[in-house]
Amino acid sequence: MNIPFLDNWRKRHETGQGSGLATALADDPEGVVELLSECELLRAQAASAGLELDETPASLEALDQLLPRWRRDPEAAPWLGNDAGLYLGTVIIRTVPGAGWRIWPSGQPVIRLASGRELNVVESGIAWAMTGSPELSQAYAEASEG
């Protein structure tokens, strides 16, 4: 996969200059959106359960119905939750008008809605993976209301 901002980012870091994800988002928003939407661990977990993630709200409902076998592995759950949050964010930006990624100074990717409200979708995804609450479909419904 060719993501131009990664090459630029690597070059700047090799020379000792830092830029961060926020700069990458400003320089190549489509590349960052593509990178954040990969969610390989979540997609693999879903595929093993016969679920294809098509970046729709219905796929969030289907994820909520999966048996949470990943909770048996305390090291895997946070990683899966991170992916679940990024996937939730991906569905939101693709289906909720005016929504987009924003990067907090800490480097945390969040969703900014057209209203200006910001959602820490990664935090929601980790909570979902660890405890099942909030459900991803519920978090989406709240975001789509504005």
Side-chain angles (χ1 to χ4, degrees):
M1 174 176 6
N2 181 20
I3 303 176
F5 81 85
L6 281 179
D7 292 333
N8 294 334
W9 183 85
R10 285 186 184 121
K11 287 176 190 172
R12 285 191 292 259
H13 276 74
E14 288 170 2
T15 62
Q17 300 171 356
S19 67
L21 189 55
T23 302
L25 183 60
D27 291 347
D28 185 11
E30 292 173 11
V32 172
V33 167
E34 184 179 337
L35 179 67
L36 295 176
S37 70
E38 285 183 3
C39 314
E40 289 183 36
L41 183 60
L42 181 69
R43 290 181 190 277
Q45 183 75 36
S48 71
L51 174 62
E52 181 181 345
L53 299 181
D54 60 2
E55 299 175 1
T56 63
S59 66
L60 295 172
E61 292 174 16
L63 282 170
D64 288 337
Q65 300 305 311
L66 289 180
L67 291 175
R69 292 188 177 103
W70 58 84
R71 290 192 193 132
R72 294 183 202 146
D73 184 352
E75 291 182 22
W79 291 103
L80 185 74
N82 187 74
D83 272 12
L86 294 176
Y87 183 73
L88 170 62
T90 297
V91 173
I92 291 170
I93 66 164
R94 297 194 191 219
T95 60
V96 175
W101 288 107
R102 181 175 184 283
I103 308 301
W104 282 346
S106 65
Q108 178 72 37
V110 297
I111 295 296
R112 175 175 274 169
L113 301 175
S115 66
R117 188 172 124 213
E118 293 182 347
L119 307 171
N120 188 339
V121 290
V122 171
E123 184 178 89
S124 296
I126 291 171
W128 171 82
M130 303 294 277
T131 66
S133 180
E135 292 184 335
L136 298 174
S137 58
Q138 176 187 0
Y140 173 81
E142 291 172 9
S144 66
E145 291 173 357

